[in-house]
Amino acid sequence: MSCEKPLEKLVGGYSFTAIFRKIAFIGDSLSSGEFETINEDGSRGYHDLYEYSWGQHIARKNGLLAYNFSRGGMTAKWYLESFADERDLWNKEKACQAYVIALGVNDVLNQHMPIGEAGNIDADEFEGDRPFISYYAEIVRRYKEISPDAKFFFVTVPRDSYYQVKAEREALVKAICALAEHFDNSYVIDLYKYAPVYDDEFKKKYFMYGHMNPMGYIYTAELIDSYIDYIIRNNPKDFNTVGFIGTDIKYKQL
């Protein structure tokens, strides 16, 4: 039995992520290739340059089609209540074989939305404010309706020396891992546990102000791509029929 850990080996060239021909990347600024600037008056500018996003780097490397279903400042609540409809992201013509979801920073760490519990995620259970996990789960359910056999990869937040509320960050990671247990065909890309700490030295190399620089997005692409490759290599039976996702081909489950 292999003792290899996720991200122990970063892949070069084609990875097994290439088995997916269409992937959607759902997230916030760091999923959008956002660069931050400081203007002459001291105000800050935020610019989503999708071609620099880690999702598009993964797509170019592996020769696949990637959708950026993302925007700077994105929250699960915003995505579900208006953004996806405005961008026509529930359109079945945009159905994908895999969805990589990287949400939670703005919802929980910046806006301090209650996280909620994985056993309590249905929208009709809430008379007042819904917790983050309920919005997240509804996004997953909507895409499962569009692409029932798609694979889902839930990305946790990395460790960051700038965030002082460790308990809040760990609670968010726990909730995302619980959602992967709740939904079938779902896996965790656990950057909190296995990625480098985003400390001063890391940010000196890979950040420009509060967001990543061009090198940072390429490095993140290496991490995400390598983690998906690791998941597939260690669960090959789960991915045998990926080529049939989104087709009318009938087959017997292995």
Side-chain angles (χ1 to χ4, degrees):
M1 184 175 178
S2 174
C3 295
E4 177 192 355
K5 295 180 180 179
L7 303 183
E8 188 175 326
K9 301 175 183 176
L10 298 186
V11 296
Y14 273 109
S15 73
F16 278 126
T17 308
I19 67 173
F20 303 111
R21 307 318 299 153
K22 290 175 69 176
I23 300 183
F25 295 96
I26 299 167
D28 50 33
S29 57
L30 295 184
S31 298
S32 303
E34 183 168 289
F35 294 127
E36 184 175 338
T37 58
I38 296 181
N39 304 316
E40 291 184 0
D41 62 0
S43 63
R44 293 180 181 267
Y46 303 93
H47 313 276
D48 288 348
L49 300 181
Y50 292 109
E51 65 270 29
Y52 279 95
S53 68
W54 47 263
Q56 293 303 325
H57 284 305
I58 292 172
R60 287 189 291 268
K61 174 188 172 186
N62 288 300
L64 56 86
L65 174 63
Y67 293 117
N68 280 103
F69 291 175
S70 62
R71 180 176 290 177
M74 185 56 59
T75 64
K77 183 176 187 291
W78 176 16
Y79 193 97
L80 186 62
E81 292 187 344
S82 61
F83 180 75
D85 287 317
E86 292 167 0
R87 295 280 297 272
D88 196 28
L89 302 185
W90 310 124
N91 190 328
K92 287 190 176 181
E93 292 185 2
K94 297 177 181 177
C96 293
Q97 294 171 304
Y99 295 85
V100 180
I101 304 179
L103 290 169
V105 170
N106 291 314
D107 312 72
V108 176
L109 302 184
N110 293 338
Q111 298 183 14
H112 305 290
M113 174 183 280
I115 296 173
E117 300 290 337
N120 184 26
I121 59 178
D122 293 328
D124 57 8
E125 294 179 353
F126 302 100
E127 295 181 1
D129 293 336
R130 292 171 63 180
F132 161 74
I133 201 170
S134 175
Y135 287 107
Y136 194 116
E138 185 65 19
I139 292 170
V140 176
R141 280 197 290 260
R142 291 290 298 270
Y143 283 118
K144 279 184 168 291
E145 292 175 3
I146 294 168
S147 186
D149 298 318
K151 305 297 183 179
F152 287 80
F153 299 93
F154 303 155
V155 184
T156 70
V157 293
R159 291 164 292 163
D160 189 323
S161 60
Y162 283 80
Y163 279 92
Q164 301 301 316
V165 187
K166 182 180 178 182
E168 190 174 45
R169 197 167 267 255
E170 290 183 343
L172 174 58
V173 172
K174 182 179 178 181
I176 289 173
C177 291
L179 283 174
E181 291 289 331
H182 179 83
F183 289 107
D184 64 346
N185 287 321
S186 299
Y187 308 85
V188 178
I189 297 176
D190 196 349
L191 298 186
Y192 187 83
K193 186 173 183 179
Y194 294 108
V197 178
Y198 287 19
D199 56 16
D200 287 336
E201 190 62 29
F202 183 94
K203 294 202 170 188
K204 188 184 301 182
K205 292 179 180 178
Y206 296 122
F207 270 67
M208 182 169 62
Y209 306 118
H211 291 79
M212 285 190 161
N213 61 26
M215 294 71 75
Y217 288 115
I218 290 178
Y219 182 65
T220 304
E222 291 182 328
L223 296 179
I224 301 293
D225 189 28
S226 298
Y227 211 124
I228 294 174
D229 179 89
Y230 169 86
I231 290 171
I232 295 170
R233 284 189 289 105
N234 284 275
N235 302 276
K237 188 175 180 180
D238 291 1
F239 297 91
N240 276 338
T241 56
V242 160
F244 300 145
I245 298 174
T247 74
D248 295 326
I249 298 173
K250 304 298 182 183
Y251 60 95
K252 182 180 179 181
Q253 292 286 353
L254 299 176

